[in-house]
């Protein structure tokens, strides 16, 4: 599960986690919008010392525009994973992302889930971040990784 397109560093990291073993990915990208509160994102920005980002939180795309950007980001990420030698399929998830994650794990008979996100300190403190919530839902190990910056 990702929140933004994978960087080359992210692709390298996730495709080498298991050494030379052939791996495949089912990528679920959650577009920016209803799932995260603007205030929580701004608090996270302040906690990271990114004051300019905190001020700009309200300017970032949401809704239909965010979904369109997410679709482009997903295609970019899938192509990058494939170019790195992995099998990769995916989709943009708008509603009930943890339910979709559980279904994807079951359908793919997945060995593990990787949640690759930016730090979300407030949500992590209260165990409301994607990885914490997924651990109670999917029935396989959940690895939480922090995404690299663009």
């Amino acid at each position: 599960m990702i929140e933004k397109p994978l960087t080359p560093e992210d692709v390298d990291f996730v495709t080498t986690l298991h050494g030379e073993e052939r791996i495949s990915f089912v990528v679920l990208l959650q577009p920016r919008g209803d799932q995260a509160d603007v205030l929580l994102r701004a608090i996270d920005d302040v906690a990271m010392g990114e004051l300019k980002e905190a001020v700009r939180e309200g300017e970032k795309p949401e809704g239909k525009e965010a979904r369109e950007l997410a679709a482009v980001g997903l295609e970019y990420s899938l192509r990058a994973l494939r170019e790195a030698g992995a099998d990769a399929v995916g989709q943009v998830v708008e509603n009930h992302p943890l339910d979709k994650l559980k279904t994807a794990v079951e359908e793919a008979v997945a060995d593990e889930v990787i949640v690759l996100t930016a730090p979300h300190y407030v949500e992590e403190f209260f165990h409301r971040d994607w990885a914490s919530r997924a651990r109670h839902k999917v029935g396989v190990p959940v690895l939480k990784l922090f995404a690299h910056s663009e």
Side-chain angles (χ1 to χ4, degrees), residues 3 30-38 40-41 62 93-98 123 128 130 133:
E3 297 174 313
Q30 170 66 51
R32 180 182 185 82
D34 297 337
Q35 298 298 324
D37 185 276
V38 174
L40 289 179
R41 292 191 305 250
E62 304 218 1
V93 179
E94 296 179 51
N95 298 316
H96 311 291
L98 292 175
E123 292 171 348
R128 300 303 302 156
W130 291 121
R133 292 168 54 200

Side-chain angles (χ1 to χ4, degrees), residues 83-141:
E83 288 173 358
D87 295 325
V89 296
Q91 71 181 83
V92 173
V93 179
E94 296 179 51
N95 298 316
H96 311 291
L98 292 175
D99 291 340
K100 182 58 188 168
L101 179 61
K102 181 178 182 183
T103 300
V105 166
E106 291 168 352
E107 289 174 355
V109 190
D111 295 324
E112 71 181 348
V113 167
I114 299 172
V115 177
L116 188 70
T117 68
H120 299 292
Y121 296 114
V122 175
E123 292 171 348
E124 290 168 24
F125 180 79
F126 291 107
H127 301 283
R128 300 303 302 156
D129 59 299
W130 291 121
S132 296
R133 292 168 54 200
R135 285 185 183 104
H136 299 286
K137 190 138 186 130
V138 297
V140 297

Side-chain angles (χ1 to χ4, degrees), residues 3-18:
E3 297 174 313
K4 63 180 184 123
L6 299 174
T7 66
E9 293 85 2
D10 293 331
V11 171
D12 184 52
F13 191 48
V14 299
T15 57
T16 60
L17 278 173
H18 297 287

Side-chain angles (χ1 to χ4, degrees), residues 28-111:
L28 302 179
L29 191 146
Q30 170 66 51
R32 180 182 185 82
D34 297 337
Q35 298 298 324
D37 185 276
V38 174
L39 178 60
L40 289 179
R41 292 191 305 250
I43 291 170
D44 284 338
D45 290 337
V46 170
M48 298 271 304
E50 297 175 0
L51 300 177
K52 290 180 182 178
E53 284 297 314
V55 172
R56 286 189 226 135
E57 279 299 336
E59 301 171 3
K60 295 188 179 175
E62 304 218 1
K64 182 180 178 189
E65 186 179 349
R67 288 188 296 278
E68 291 170 0
L69 289 171
V72 171
L74 176 64
E75 286 306 314
Y76 172 85
S77 298
L78 294 175
R79 186 171 48 252
L81 288 167
R82 292 176 190 136
E83 288 173 358
D87 295 325
V89 296
Q91 71 181 83
V92 173
V93 179
E94 296 179 51
N95 298 316
H96 311 291
L98 292 175
D99 291 340
K100 182 58 188 168
L101 179 61
K102 181 178 182 183
T103 300
V105 166
E106 291 168 352
E107 289 174 355
V109 190
D111 295 324

